[in-house]
Amino acid sequence: MTNAAPSIEPQLSFPERLDAAEITPAMRSLWLLSAGLIALDGFDFFIIGVALPFLQRDFGLSSVEVGAVAVAAIVGSLLGSLSLGPLTDRVGRQRMLVVDIALFVIATAGTAFAWNALSLVAFRFLVGVAIGADYPISVAYITENVPARARGRMVISAFTFQAVGALLGAITGLLIIFLFQQLYPNSVQPAIQYAWRWMLGVGLGLAIGVAAFRFSFLLESPSYYITRGEYDAASKAASILLDEPITLTPQTDPPDRRTQLPYSALFMAPLRRSTFLAALPWFLQDIATYGIGIFTPTIIAVLALADQTNFLAREMAAARGAVIVDLFLIAGFLLAILFVERVGRIPLQIIGFVGMAIGLLLLTLSNLVHSGNSSLILVFLGFFVFNLSMNAGPNSTTFLLSGEVFPTSIRASGAGFAAAVAKAGAIVGTFSIPILEHRWGVPTLLIVLSGCCLLAAILTYLFRTPASAASTSLD
């Protein structure tokens, strides 16, 4: 009788272990860390829309200067995404998280105590640099450290906190305006001089809270260590992440031929198509998203509150409208979480862009209806369709795709480049909207933005890749 040789069970690679794992406390913590700064992103980008009318009166800003204040953080975000994304691939996700949050706290403090328009622009630029770094860090951090089956839901649910931050910004503005109305019922001057400082100061408090939590949990991505050949460090990080002892070696996770890709690989075959898919629709989306989002209170005031002459009452009503409108943002994200794995990234993105175009056309129609109640209904219906479609589709899927379509060694670089291109679109939208609204009027402007959304849907279809509908592996 011949004894059979004992079978040796092959060791699983880190991606295989990760995909087989349950969601661990470490995964939840890194998700919450990424979601925290995304919430600050939403708060800081959108609180400025509520604060701008007060800033304009306090500093006597022209329409061009209003655009500069609004766009400063977005310019910083562009440069932060473009430069700090590649740096994240070089020095690691964990180290950049520390630098990121420290910069955010310092810059946010500066905005609350700015002494003139120039200083405010400078500090908001630095806030933007920190936010820009957070896009590639967060998407790489979550994408590399959660099971494939949960990746879409967890990335999008983290990005949902942008809408939570935007809603918190609108509520903050509403409460502060109400407070100044109660404290100074006979004078608008105190609100003009100090309300915007209080609004931006709340952002500082939130940044300090997120910083405290971020420094309580720091964990590098095991995939990052593997690309560098640091298997001991990768084993320790993987053991913490998966909550069990794990040993990773070159045999379990051999070096990939793409681990040393240069930055230029983003624009060469076979990654060029993925780069276009990640960047171009996001660029067009952000023209509409930030142009409409930052100036939501202003647009509501123009379309629905044109007869209101009292400054504080008008801004109070606009902020209240922004709170209601921002609820649709959260509802859209919840739909994205529900459908992203069922429908797929690409179909969801195309449907969302078409819905955004329809919402903008409804807003345009509201300006042509002369009945007060009908006009108001169309305004909020337009915002409902626009915000719901945006977050159920492209505002979720562009962020998700930017982390899924690139290999690990160049993931933060690719996501950073896509985010930078997107922020270029945000700059176009934010800076040009107050100028074009003055020259063209709101209806014409909304039609142009609707065309941008339809073009983005077409580009999404043209640059789609077989793997982009739903990603199932890290590389």
Side-chain angles (χ1 to χ4, degrees):
M1 180 175 179
T2 304
N3 292 328
S7 62
I8 300 176
E9 183 179 346
Q11 288 186 301
L12 298 177
S13 67
F14 172 69
E16 290 171 332
R17 288 179 178 272
L18 180 64
D19 288 344
E22 298 298 323
I23 302 300
T24 64
M27 292 179 192
R28 294 190 182 95
S29 294
L30 68 85
W31 173 88
L32 190 57
L33 290 172
S34 297
L37 201 54
I38 292 174
L40 293 180
D41 165 9
F43 182 91
D44 278 288
F45 271 148
F46 290 96
I47 190 64
I48 197 66
V50 184
L52 268 176
F54 298 90
L55 276 164
Q56 188 171 13
R57 290 200 175 197
D58 191 16
F59 291 148
L61 304 178
S62 66
S63 60
V64 173
E65 289 171 327
V66 168
V69 171
V71 84
I74 303 175
V75 174
S77 181
L78 185 157
L79 294 179
S81 297
L82 195 61
S83 60
L84 300 184
L87 188 58
T88 299
D89 283 330
R90 288 180 175 270
V91 305
R93 287 69 165 128
Q94 175 180 287
R95 189 173 300 173
M96 284 306 301
L97 283 174
V98 175
V99 174
D100 185 26
I101 192 61
L103 176 60
F104 201 102
V105 170
I106 294 170
T108 305
T111 63
F113 296 100
W115 53 93
N116 57 25
L118 183 60
S119 63
L120 180 63
V121 167
F123 284 120
R124 282 196 61 78
F125 171 81
L126 293 177
V127 168
V129 171
I131 290 174
D134 192 61
Y135 278 93
I137 295 171
S138 294
V139 73
Y141 209 34
I142 299 175
T143 298
E144 294 171 359
N145 293 295
V146 298
R149 66 182 183 279
R151 189 179 305 139
R153 294 191 301 274
M154 291 190 74
V155 171
I156 291 176
S157 61
F159 201 53
T160 301
F161 277 73
Q162 185 190 64
V164 174
L167 176 62
L168 182 58
I171 293 174
T172 297
L174 180 67
L175 292 177
I176 289 174
I177 294 171
F178 175 77
L179 181 62
F180 273 89
Q181 280 183 319
Q182 300 303 308
L183 292 176
Y184 305 99
N186 300 318
S187 175
V188 72
Q189 197 60 32
I192 290 174
Q193 290 181 324
Y194 298 108
W196 66 267
R197 294 186 185 275
W198 285 32
M199 294 175 193
L200 299 181
V202 170
L204 173 60
L206 295 175
I208 292 173
V210 171
F213 184 74
R214 282 214 164 185
F215 283 108
S216 70
F217 180 83
L218 293 172
L219 178 66
E220 185 55 84
S221 168
S223 295
Y224 170 76
Y225 283 132
I226 292 171
T227 63
R228 297 170 61 88
E230 300 175 9
Y231 289 96
D232 288 341
S235 299
K236 293 177 182 178
S239 298
I240 295 172
L241 180 69
L242 301 183
D243 200 21
E244 61 176 309
I246 291 175
T247 301
L248 302 178
T249 67
Q251 287 70 45
T252 62
D253 294 86
D256 190 274
R257 62 181 176 85
R258 298 173 295 180
T259 58
Q260 301 301 322
L261 287 175
Y263 191 82
S264 59
L266 294 174
F267 314 103
M268 301 166 60
L271 292 182
R272 182 169 51 234
R273 190 180 185 90
S274 294
T275 301
F276 289 160
L277 173 66
L280 295 182
W282 203 356
F283 169 82
L284 292 167
Q285 179 223 317
D286 270 13
I287 291 178
T289 297
Y290 283 86
I292 295 296
I294 289 180
F295 293 98
T296 290
T298 302
I299 293 171
I300 291 175
V302 170
L303 294 179
L305 304 171
D307 297 333
Q308 179 59 259
T309 57
N310 182 279
F311 174 73
L312 278 184
R314 178 186 173 99
E315 297 309 319
M316 182 74 168
R320 188 183 301 116
V323 170
I324 297 172
V325 165
D326 286 343
L327 289 173
F328 305 149
L329 295 172
I330 298 176
F333 275 130
L334 294 177
L335 288 177
I337 294 170
L338 181 63
F339 289 111
V340 66
E341 304 295 353
R342 300 180 185 181
V343 176
R345 280 69 158 150
I346 298 301
L348 202 60
Q349 184 158 305
I350 293 173
I351 293 169
F353 274 129
V354 173
M356 289 171 66
I358 293 172
L360 290 170
L361 291 176
L362 287 173
L363 286 174
T364 305
L365 184 61
S366 72
N367 195 252
L368 304 177
V369 176
H370 299 293
S371 170
N373 289 335
S374 298
S375 177
L376 187 62
I377 290 171
L378 282 173
V379 167
F380 283 96
L381 179 61
F383 271 116
F384 169 77
V385 174
F386 177 84
N387 284 342
L388 198 71
S389 300
M390 176 180 68
N391 281 5
N395 203 31
S396 300
T397 53
T398 51
F399 183 70
L400 175 58
L401 285 170
S402 72
E404 288 188 333
V405 298
F406 302 107
T408 299
S409 67
I410 203 170
R411 178 169 288 118
S413 299
F417 175 79
V421 173
K423 291 303 169 283
I427 292 169
V428 171
T430 305
F431 187 77
S432 63
I433 275 194
I435 299 172
L436 296 180
E437 184 272 329
H438 178 72
R439 294 180 181 176
W440 295 350
V442 170
T444 302
L445 185 61
L446 292 174
I447 291 174
V448 172
L449 292 176
S450 179
C452 289
C453 295
L454 292 176
L455 178 58
I458 294 171
L459 291 177
T460 299
Y461 179 80
L462 292 177
F463 290 118
R464 72 194 187 282
T465 61
S468 60
S471 178
T472 57
S473 65
L474 285 175
D475 288 325

